Amino acid sequence: MATKSSKIVRPTLPSILALTVRCWCLIVCSISLSAAYRNPYFRRSPNILFFMVDDMGWRDLSLHGSNQILTPNLDRMAYQSVVLQSYYSEAICTPARTALLTGVYPSKLGMHGMPLYNSEDRGIPLTERLLPSYLKELGYATHLVGKWHVGMSKKEYLPTSRGYDSHYGMRGGFIDYYTYNKVETWPNGRLLFGLDLFNNDKPQEEEQRYIVDALTDRAVNVIRRHNSSSPLFLHITHNAPHAGNGGGALQPPLYSSIKHRHIANSDRRLYAEIVSHIDQSFGEVVRALSENGMLEDTIIIFASDNGAPTTGEFSNWGINLPFRGKKNTPWEGAVRVPAFIWHSSFTPTVWNGIMHITDWLPTLLAAAGGKVDKKIDGVNQWESIIRNSNSQRNEVLIAVEDSSRNIYGAYRSGDYKIVIGNVTGVSNDYYGEEFLAIKGKEPEYLPSLRSCVVSRIFDRMGIYRQKEDILAMRRAATIKAQGPFTNVTLCIPTLTRGCLYNVREDPGERNDLWQRENSIATRLINRLRELWAMQLRRGPPALSAASDPANFNYIWVPWIKSNCTTEATTSDYSNKNTISYISLDDGKRTEVKNLTLSAVVNCEGTTILKNFFCILRSVF
């Protein structure tokens, strides 16, 4: 039986056009839905500028009430921001940067305690995913300008291997501001020195600018060259005002007159020049964002990595008053640092919620429309910040130190903070009052605000603040001293008796509540004991003679060329009892007991001094 042939229907031009329109509509809708999923807070993913300074004290930002060193650009931005009044960082460089990039307490990664040597074979474990890697997944261009200091012994540790598209800056802890050299002295007296300034992998042997200017210029160029089709994460980490090498601890800009004549102490005056230059750097970066049409869509964070080392090793004459202590101590002066966050949509306020440096990773990912894919110590504070509501955090592990010299822990829960352990040799007092001396008249504050770069930018944007509002916000951001700083009887903790403070009422840590609030002290000790047991103990520093820059034309470069390294990753710790490290004396490899494992907190068969929390059972 014959069958009818099938009729072929050929598409007409109108039907093709209709189909094309439908396809484009579907694509546009898909993109819109995808963008909405990625970023529930903004029309598009915001740019992020994280501006971190090194070793700047609380008293060194004029926002906090002092007219001795004026920081008008930073202050003017802060008056449109959410000022983080109870923001905690780590007590020293490497741990602070580890916490920021991983969202994990450094003690859990073996990155706590003393900062990295350039010649040390250690870094943030390669098992850890870092903030720029998360942001790249969300489509961000990621750039680091400045200090790294979380691993440089092999290329796998370097910024461009950990999520940054580019890095211009130093890989180690500090450099000379003019020669860009790092001089390193080992515990046995051996001296190593060489260039530590790179453009990605290229040593910057021809660079001649003041380091603050070189970093600022690079940051401005990154902004100007940015393709606006993708959001930008620009991480600026100045090495200033950290002291330089021993031969030039304070290095203000050359070829300009030294100002701040009202500051009586000469060293503090030189320090003020460096801080002023940082403030100018901030203004130039904000100017670049504005001129490139990016400012309104940018989240800007300013923070110091830790408190200032007012006196002693690597002192820079920064001041943390009215807080007690200084850099690398468990006291507020080391860990409670100036910080604020800005976006054009924010309502300015001084936020008193507790925040820790580990919180930036989940908080910024939330702002960008992403989330963390594993459990970390940082918590998402985004909603709390933008709504001026209660903090999502009620506790902070402030410090864990378990070295041959000192064993102590510090922890805050709610309004209360406990410090317990051996702090012999640690700076436990108040420092820098004598550096506040003024000769003549202090500079006027409000005129400096009106004339600064950031104010002029805000004027063009139609963003204004009344004088009364500015002064009210400054008062809210100022913590006044509760008494004199000299001849004060202060609690000094021991292995068996700690110090307890209500740091909301007593931020200067003057009034010990150990005996009066016995039940609170017990609760805090129990929680601190749990956190202490989670630490990954560091063991001896793996300093390598092979790292000597003299072997590489006096340039600090990675000296381990393959993946076969001495690093024990997180998964290795449960399977090994020894690790390999480099002797300080002869460079030979030696097998030593693995001290990276944290001892279990029980008192049966343990060494009491190394696990001092066992002693606390008899205290209460």
Side-chain angles (χ1 to χ4, degrees):
M1 185 175 69
T3 60
K4 293 182 180 180
S5 60
S6 300
K7 185 177 180 180
I8 300 175
V9 179
R10 299 186 182 277
T12 62
L13 181 60
S15 65
I16 292 174
L17 290 174
L19 181 62
T20 302
V21 169
R22 289 193 190 98
C23 289
W24 275 110
C25 287
L26 287 171
I27 292 170
V28 170
C29 289
S30 176
I31 292 173
S32 300
L33 288 171
S34 176
Y37 172 76
R38 288 197 311 269
N39 192 349
Y41 302 103
F42 301 103
R43 178 177 54 83
R44 51 163 287 170
S45 294
N47 305 304
I48 300 171
L49 166 66
F50 201 115
F51 193 100
M52 178 179 275
V53 294
D54 198 352
D55 289 8
M56 184 173 174
W58 181 270
R59 193 64 169 260
D60 303 328
L61 187 69
S62 52
L63 167 71
H64 292 309
S66 173
N67 287 357
Q68 191 190 42
I69 303 175
L70 299 186
T71 51
N73 288 298
L74 289 165
D75 288 19
R76 184 63 187 91
M77 181 65 74
Y79 291 130
Q80 298 297 147
S81 303
V82 176
V83 175
L84 306 175
Q85 192 75 346
S86 296
Y87 171 73
Y88 285 87
S89 186
E90 294 288 321
I92 202 164
C93 310
T94 296
R97 293 157 207 278
T98 299
L100 169 66
L101 293 169
T102 65
V104 178
Y105 287 137
S107 56
K108 293 183 178 181
L109 302 174
M111 296 294 286
H112 56 311
M114 294 303 293
L116 281 168
Y117 287 84
N118 279 27
S119 55
E120 188 173 355
D121 181 20
R122 183 166 61 96
I124 295 178
L126 300 177
T127 52
E128 294 302 310
R129 190 177 182 191
L130 307 190
L131 173 61
S133 175
Y134 281 103
L135 290 173
K136 274 185 72 68
E137 189 176 72
L138 296 175
Y140 277 76
T142 58
H143 300 277
L144 174 63
V145 177
K147 175 174 169 177
W148 178 236
H149 206 193
V150 285
M152 56 180 289
S153 62
K154 52 190 174 182
K155 292 193 71 170
E156 292 93 330
Y157 279 149
L158 298 183
T160 50
S161 299
R162 306 303 300 265
Y164 291 101
D165 294 328
S166 73
H167 174 224
Y168 177 88
M170 60 292 300
R171 295 168 174 175
F174 62 90
I175 58 172
D176 182 274
Y177 285 34
Y178 292 101
T179 69
Y180 327 116
N181 270 228
K182 162 70 182 295
V183 179
E184 181 167 288
T185 304
W186 284 8
N188 65 358
R190 181 169 181 169
L191 199 66
L192 286 71
F193 46 90
L195 178 74
D196 185 8
L197 183 65
F198 294 84
N199 184 1
N200 296 325
D201 290 332
K202 185 179 180 181
Q204 297 300 283
E205 298 182 89
E206 304 302 319
E207 180 60 75
Q208 296 183 343
R209 291 168 293 178
Y210 184 60
I211 188 58
V212 176
D213 293 337
L215 297 177
T216 303
D217 290 350
R218 174 61 177 233
V220 168
N221 286 336
V222 168
I223 293 168
R224 287 176 176 166
R225 295 177 181 177
H226 177 66
N227 186 335
S228 61
S229 63
S230 62
L232 171 67
F233 172 52
L234 177 55
H235 190 185
I236 302 174
T237 54
H238 275 294
N239 67 305
H242 193 295
N245 297 312
L250 287 176
Q251 297 179 301
L254 291 176
Y255 313 118
S256 62
S257 60
I258 301 298
K259 298 174 283 295
H260 296 90
R261 295 182 180 276
H262 61 282
I263 297 178
N265 182 276
S266 175
D267 294 319
R268 176 73 172 168
R269 188 176 166 193
L270 293 175
Y271 174 79
E273 292 296 308
I274 301 172
V275 172
S276 291
H277 217 66
I278 293 169
D279 183 72
Q280 293 168 23
S281 169
F282 183 81
E284 289 305 310
V285 173
V286 174
R287 189 206 304 269
L289 288 169
S290 176
E291 291 176 348
N292 215 43
M294 299 168 61
L295 182 57
E296 286 193 81
D297 290 329
T298 299
I299 295 171
I300 297 177
I301 299 103
F302 168 83
S304 182
D305 65 341
N306 44 251
T310 312
T311 61
E313 187 178 20
F314 296 117
S315 61
N316 67 357
W317 288 267
I319 297 176
N320 307 308
L321 297 175
F323 298 137
R324 180 180 174 185
K326 59 183 186 179
K327 175 180 178 178
N328 200 22
T329 73
W331 309 110
E332 296 287 278
V335 294
R336 193 163 167 181
V337 297
F340 61 77
I341 177 171
W342 178 89
H343 186 266
S344 58
S345 65
F346 285 0
T347 300
T349 189
V350 175
W351 189 59
N352 289 298
I354 299 174
M355 185 170 180
H356 186 250
I357 189 171
T358 55
D359 297 344
W360 285 121
L361 188 147
T363 299
L364 293 177
L365 286 183
K371 61 180 180 180
V372 186
D373 56 6
K374 66 175 185 177
K375 184 176 180 179
I376 59 174
D377 297 302
V379 297
N380 175 11
Q381 300 275 20
W382 182 248
E383 290 284 348
S384 297
I385 289 171
I386 64 176
R387 301 185 188 282
N388 193 23
S389 57
N390 291 335
S391 171
Q392 298 301 304
R393 171 184 290 279
N394 192 53
E395 67 167 8
V396 174
L397 176 60
I398 291 172
V400 168
E401 178 61 40
D402 190 0
S403 67
S404 58
R405 184 172 61 177
N406 291 109
I407 307 170
Y408 59 75
Y411 166 75
R412 177 174 174 176
S413 177
D415 294 346
Y416 291 91
K417 174 183 172 182
I418 190 171
V419 181
I420 187 166
N422 170 25
V423 296
T424 302
V426 173
S427 302
N428 301 305
D429 215 322
Y430 301 99
Y431 301 94
E433 184 180 23
E434 65 275 24
F435 303 147
L436 294 174
I438 297 295
K439 58 177 184 179
K441 185 180 179 182
E442 283 185 332
E444 294 186 55
Y445 183 63
L446 290 175
S448 74
L449 286 183
R450 287 194 292 268
S451 61
C452 72
V453 170
V454 172
S455 280
R456 293 198 296 270
I457 292 169
F458 281 166
D459 287 346
R460 289 195 295 270
M461 296 172 65
I463 299 175
Y464 305 102
R465 297 285 333 250
Q466 297 295 322
K467 170 185 172 181
E468 295 75 16
D469 295 333
I470 285 176
L471 294 178
M473 195 165 177
R474 194 185 193 205
R475 285 192 296 271
T478 299
I479 297 176
K480 294 184 178 180
Q482 297 164 291
F485 296 118
T486 56
N487 301 319
V488 183
T489 301
L490 297 170
C491 174
I492 305 296
T494 67
L495 292 172
T496 56
R497 188 200 187 281
C499 304
L500 176 70
Y501 305 97
N502 183 325
V503 287
R504 187 174 297 276
E505 297 178 357
D506 178 25
E509 297 171 294
R510 293 171 177 265
N511 305 306
D512 175 37
L513 304 175
W514 181 268
Q515 294 295 342
R516 189 193 316 172
E517 302 290 355
N518 187 272
S519 60
I520 295 175
T522 303
R523 177 171 57 82
L524 267 62
I525 284 174
N526 288 336
R527 177 58 177 150
L528 179 54
R529 182 189 292 120
E530 294 175 8
L531 294 168
W532 179 276
M534 296 177 189
Q535 72 162 312
L536 196 61
R537 291 179 58 198
R538 283 180 48 183
L543 306 185
S544 174
S547 70
D548 193 338
N551 299 326
F552 307 98
N553 194 29
Y554 294 96
I555 300 172
W556 288 100
V557 298
W559 66 94
I560 296 174
K561 302 299 183 184
S562 71
N563 291 325
C564 187
T565 71
T566 63
E567 181 199 16
T569 62
T570 304
S571 59
D572 291 329
Y573 290 125
S574 60
N575 301 320
K576 295 184 179 181
N577 294 318
T578 62
I579 59 172
S580 179
Y581 82 104
I582 305 295
S583 165
L584 292 176
D585 299 317
D586 55 15
K588 296 179 180 178
R589 293 188 178 275
T590 309
E591 294 297 323
V592 297
K593 185 177 180 180
N594 183 2
L595 298 179
T596 58
L597 283 169
S598 173
V600 176
V601 182
N602 70 64
C603 293
E604 297 179 7
T606 188
T607 55
I608 299 296
L609 287 178
K610 281 294 182 182
N611 197 353
F612 73 90
F613 282 110
C614 295
I615 301 174
L616 300 180
R617 291 187 178 182
S618 62
V619 175
F620 300 103

